[in-house]
Amino acid sequence: MDDIVVYSKSLEEHLEHLKLVFEIFSKYNLSLNLQKCKFFQEKIEVLGHVLTSKGLKTIPSKVQSIALWDNPKDVNELRSFLGLASYYRKFIQNFSIIADPLFKLLKKNTKYNWSKECQEAFLNIKECLLSDPILSYPNFDKEFIIRTDASTKGIGAVLLQVEGDGLEHPICCISRTLSNSEKNYSVTDLEGLAVIFSLKYFQQYILTSKETVKIITDHKPLIGYLKKSIPTSNRHARWIEEVNKYKIELVYEKGKKNVFADALSRLPSKNSKEIIQCVNAILADFNPKDLDLPEGIIKYFTKNYQVIDNILYYKKDDLYLKVIYKDQDKKDIINRAHLVGHEGAEKTTNRIMQSYYWPGIWNDVRMWVKSCHKCQTCRPKPFPKDTENNSTPVEQPFTRVGLDIIGPLPITKNGNAYIITLVDYFTKWVEAKAIPNMKSEEVIKFLTEIFARHGPPEIIITDNGSSFISV
């Protein structure tokens, strides 16, 4: 047995804890090496970390070795550096995003090229660890706070608690880069991915907390997106189910207040589809008068939307389409447009967009058409009806048989490459024989043997192959 750590909040409590430990050792006849024991320590080194009364810290000697590390000359040296630095990744906010240029050099079939981005990431990791970060210990009687954020490079989250000084102190930082498919996500989906990632990683803290865990995001549409009763996609449905597992509260804070979250760009260029999707998500849940939008979103609104008589319209070519907010209004409009002739999703959408518009209109119409009972029961079937089975009844054995040849197969030691089979339609009895070829002579030999044992049948059914019709 090794590395026994006894942690207490006070000297009196520590003496009680030591007494209990010694009693257990005595009960099971275990002894201690006094020379290796340390008592009443304010800080100790355990598993590569320093445990102090204030929190968890890095080991200075380990950090010093990272600080003195020269620029890696090849993949092996880089892998060694990242292996040591990654051990302290929970101390570095958005470690995966910072180290992304370095991790890219480790990919298979990638040329090792130490670029300016790699040098900046290398120095940034060193600087973060040299700043002597400290992580607080969790207190499960207090409220936990999780701050999440996302960018087009990665997602991250920080677990925090408010201490006696009234400030939020970090307990653990997590992050990861995006997969190729996740890089195509909209802004709202990226922010949602960060929330789900934090829920799964910090699950043990959330489930054991006595208080409701507060999750803070700087993306306002995410609040309504994860609270919708009707999911818009399979992924959305899985996320809603995951969120409902926990006792959490989703809270919005402006990016300026979200000091622990990643300060990367939240929005891409004004013409990207992600901005449009972000605007659409906001419009789906909030009145445009109350929106607190960044400059890029305001420009997008100016170009594509216009308020006339206190009503918001979407500008499409020369048309002004009224923007619909309420879910019930959307359903009523889709229902009226679809009942005109039970047309497909495309025609129904075009009919609606002569007067109305709302974010995700195409998906809403498509799902409505797919759920229409009359459309599903009356639409043309992709396959024709099964043909009627008019098989001739068989009243006794060996009156009607089927004959066929299987092959060519791998040649056996005896030179056979085919199998000739005969099936009785009444008893389902099967006769089979290996033959060297498909010539009529082999078919005649096989039938002669069968007829000698069972007699000739009334009907022989074949596929009219040359081996049969020339018999």
Side-chain angles (χ1 to χ4, degrees), residues 437-461:
N437 54 63
M438 297 176 59
K439 293 182 179 180
S440 300
E441 290 82 355
E442 296 295 335
V443 176
I444 293 172
K445 289 180 184 179
F446 175 71
L447 291 176
T448 301
E449 295 174 5
I450 298 297
F451 295 166
R453 290 198 303 271
H454 304 289
E458 295 181 5
I459 301 173
I460 299 178
I461 300 175

Side-chain angles (χ1 to χ4, degrees), residues 188-463:
T188 302
D189 279 347
L190 286 176
E191 297 287 350
L193 183 66
V195 170
I196 300 302
F197 173 59
S198 66
L199 288 177
K200 292 181 178 180
Y201 194 94
F202 296 133
Q203 185 179 43
Q204 67 272 26
Y205 297 96
I206 300 172
L207 294 178
T208 52
S209 176
K210 296 180 180 179
E211 302 290 335
T212 300
V213 177
K214 184 184 294 184
I215 299 182
I216 300 176
T217 177
D218 60 356
H219 190 66
K220 197 171 184 179
L222 185 64
I223 307 300
Y225 185 69
L226 293 179
K227 290 182 179 179
K228 284 184 177 180
S229 58
I230 302 177
T232 57
S233 64
N234 291 336
R235 184 197 309 132
H236 189 193
R238 291 193 299 270
W239 287 357
I240 293 175
E241 183 180 7
E242 185 70 23
V243 168
N244 290 333
K245 290 180 183 178
Y246 307 101
K247 188 180 178 182
I248 61 174
E249 178 188 3
L250 288 169
V251 179
Y252 163 72
E253 271 191 13
K254 291 183 180 181
K256 294 179 182 178
K257 296 182 179 179
N258 198 358
V259 293
F260 281 101
D262 186 19
L264 296 171
S265 299
R266 293 187 296 145
L267 295 173
S269 62
K270 63 180 182 179
N271 293 323
S272 75
K273 63 178 182 180
E274 288 158 293
I275 279 232
I276 297 174
Q277 291 170 345
C278 179
V279 175
N280 291 344
I282 296 173
L283 284 175
D285 296 292
F286 301 99
N287 191 308
K289 292 181 179 180
D290 301 329
L291 293 178
D292 181 18
L293 298 172
E295 184 180 353
I297 297 296
I298 295 174
K299 289 182 179 179
Y300 176 78
F301 267 127
T302 305
K303 180 180 178 181
N304 296 279
Y305 293 86
Q306 184 172 343
V307 177
I308 303 174
D309 295 333
N310 211 25
I311 297 175
L312 186 65
Y313 289 88
Y314 175 75
K315 293 184 283 187
K316 181 190 175 187
D317 299 329
D318 296 330
L319 296 176
Y320 282 78
L321 309 179
K322 183 180 179 180
V323 178
I324 306 299
Y325 301 101
K326 296 181 180 179
D327 290 339
Q328 188 58 48
D329 292 342
K330 296 175 185 177
K331 293 178 182 178
D332 292 340
I333 292 171
I334 296 175
N335 185 43
R336 291 199 303 269
H338 184 59
L339 288 178
V340 171
H342 285 276
E343 297 172 321
E346 184 175 352
K347 290 184 178 180
T348 303
T349 303
N350 292 336
R351 185 183 297 276
I352 294 172
M353 289 191 66
Q354 293 176 8
S355 305
Y356 304 104
Y357 172 80
W358 64 83
I361 183 172
W362 163 252
N363 284 330
D364 290 346
V365 173
R366 182 171 58 87
M367 295 302 295
W368 186 278
V369 173
K370 287 180 69 175
S371 63
C372 177
H373 179 71
K374 182 173 289 187
C375 289
Q376 300 307 311
T377 54
C378 299
R379 68 175 183 174
K381 292 186 177 180
F383 301 103
K385 282 187 176 182
D386 294 335
T387 56
E388 188 176 351
N389 188 1
N390 293 321
S391 58
T392 305
V394 183
E395 297 178 353
Q396 58 184 358
F398 222 74
T399 57
R400 190 164 176 260
V401 299
L403 185 66
D404 200 4
I405 298 176
I406 303 172
L409 303 172
I411 300 175
T412 65
K413 293 180 180 179
N414 297 327
N416 296 317
Y418 299 86
I419 298 176
I420 184 169
T421 60
L422 183 139
V423 181
D424 177 29
Y425 277 68
F426 185 82
T427 62
K428 310 303 180 186
W429 177 262
V430 178
E431 294 275 356
K433 180 184 177 182
I435 56 177
N437 54 63
M438 297 176 59
K439 293 182 179 180
S440 300
E441 290 82 355
E442 296 295 335
V443 176
I444 293 172
K445 289 180 184 179
F446 175 71
L447 291 176
T448 301
E449 295 174 5
I450 298 297
F451 295 166
R453 290 198 303 271
H454 304 289
E458 295 181 5
I459 301 173
I460 299 178
I461 300 175
T462 69
D463 59 0

Side-chain angles (χ1 to χ4, degrees), residues 66 69-86 95 98-107 110-115 117-119 121-123 125-126:
I66 294 176
W69 204 297
D70 293 330
N71 291 355
K73 297 178 181 179
D74 53 33
V75 173
N76 292 330
E77 289 187 11
L78 178 60
R79 188 177 286 114
S80 299
F81 171 79
L82 288 175
L84 181 57
S86 295
F95 174 84
I98 295 172
D100 184 53
L102 303 180
F103 282 114
K104 286 180 179 178
L105 292 180
L106 300 181
K107 291 184 177 181
T110 300
K111 185 179 179 181
Y112 189 82
N113 180 25
W114 191 258
S115 63
E117 289 184 350
C118 295
Q119 183 66 24
F122 183 68
L123 296 176
I125 292 173
K126 288 185 176 183

